[in-house]
Amino acid sequence: MISSLYAAEQGVGPRVIVLLHGFGGGHDVWRDVTAPLLNGARTLAYDLPGHGLSLDFPGAGPAKVAANAILADLAARGIKRAHIVGHSMGGAVAALMAAAEPARVASLTLLAPGGFGHEINAALLRRFAAAVDKDEIRACLAAMSGPHQVPAEHTVDVLFEMRGRPGQAARLVEIAAAMTRDDRQGVIPRQWLEALNMPVMVAWGTDDTVLPVTQADDLPSQFHLHHVLEAGHMLVEEAPDLVAEIIRRNMNRRGRSRRPNLAAAAG
């Protein structure tokens, strides 16, 4: 087991669901999504490298580092195949995992994923990275949520506690700066996405202020898209029941015939 990569594990069953939070979050943001998924399934909610209890993971920051780390951790746990779910930065990590080792991904559910277009609200993400008191964390969450959403105090408390750990705030500022260099984000190569053969579901809030919903306008033809009306970027917190239903639905879909592993071939 990779000692510096943390995952909260719940449930038992033949299916494994991997949950990857967005930038600045942690494993506990999935609390309200996890409960409906535990019937016959086992969930692993990770702290991404550089976050929470994975703060000291070597080389934390790039999505590719996180993707490789989680694939290695799953292998160390003896998990050959899993349903992968990722939000925002975690969505980019999930997509890279699927592109690198598609046979190990039973389904891929992406919630307002990073890496689908250069546009990103860099100023808001940097502000969120630097937020250390509850009022500022709450204000950032409100700015990233839909117009009628009030951030849950549980989420504010969890993020406040996480950012109080030595080195956490500085690491988030560092990751945000690298992630939004020149006020743009990196983009996952289109050919990698088109080659994915597992069921892929993308959900995006129509009022996303971090990553514009227009980035979902030209998805590969095999992707299924769900627009979440009047929701912002924080889908996990804003619509946990709907997110759980989308995950369950996608887990029960069938993929298409396999195509070459372009990401692995590209190194």
Side-chain angles (χ1 to χ4, degrees):
M1 206 70 64
I2 300 174
S3 59
S4 55
L5 189 67
Y6 177 79
E9 183 172 351
Q10 294 187 69
V12 294
R15 289 176 154 188
V16 177
I17 305 170
V18 171
L19 303 168
L20 307 176
H21 63 80
F23 169 74
H27 69 274
D28 198 55
V29 302
W30 296 100
R31 183 184 70 165
D32 294 335
V33 172
T34 302
L37 299 176
L38 293 178
N39 184 16
R42 170 186 174 195
T43 62
L44 287 168
Y46 280 87
D47 278 349
L48 294 180
H51 293 71
L53 298 177
S54 302
L55 173 62
D56 296 324
F57 191 89
K64 186 175 181 180
V65 169
N68 290 337
I70 294 162
L71 285 168
D73 187 71
L74 292 173
R77 293 173 183 268
I79 297 171
K80 296 181 179 179
R81 205 158 180 257
H83 299 272
I84 312 296
V85 182
H87 169 240
S88 195
M89 184 175 78
V93 173
L96 290 175
M97 290 171 62
E101 299 196 34
R104 297 180 59 190
V105 179
S107 71
L108 182 65
T109 304
L110 305 174
L111 312 171
F116 278 58
H118 286 295
E119 303 88 352
I120 189 169
N121 191 334
L124 181 52
L125 279 184
R126 290 171 187 157
R127 178 186 171 193
F128 182 48
V132 293
D133 66 73
K134 287 189 177 182
D135 287 343
E136 180 64 358
I137 292 170
R138 189 181 297 110
C140 289
L141 291 175
M144 293 189 288
S145 301
H148 307 298
Q149 295 289 331
V150 176
E153 283 305 304
H154 164 75
T155 303
V156 174
D157 291 343
V158 165
L159 297 183
F160 174 73
E161 180 184 354
M162 183 184 87
R163 288 152 190 259
R165 295 179 185 138
Q168 179 64 86
R171 179 60 58 84
L172 290 180
V173 169
E174 176 186 309
I175 294 173
M179 188 168 60
T180 61
R181 188 173 291 115
D182 299 323
D183 291 344
R184 291 158 64 88
Q185 67 169 336
V187 174
I188 299 170
R190 172 77 180 198
Q191 65 268 31
W192 293 11
L193 299 176
E194 290 179 342
L196 297 178
N197 50 59
M198 71 290 296
V200 182
M201 177 76 78
V202 177
W204 219 302
T206 58
D207 292 272
D208 195 322
T209 59
V210 178
L211 299 174
V213 67
T214 51
Q215 292 181 358
D217 285 350
D218 188 32
L219 296 174
S221 59
Q222 78 273 23
F223 284 30
H224 282 222
L225 174 63
H226 186 109
H227 285 110
V228 185
L229 300 179
E230 298 186 353
H233 187 67
M234 308 302 286
L235 292 175
V236 177
E237 292 88 353
E238 295 181 61
D241 291 340
L242 176 61
V243 167
E245 177 58 30
I246 287 170
I247 295 169
R248 280 198 303 261
R249 193 186 317 159
N250 197 38
M251 288 170 61
N252 291 325
R253 291 177 52 225
R254 294 177 63 89
R256 61 180 184 176
S257 58
R258 298 202 175 279
R259 294 176 63 178
N261 178 0
L262 298 183

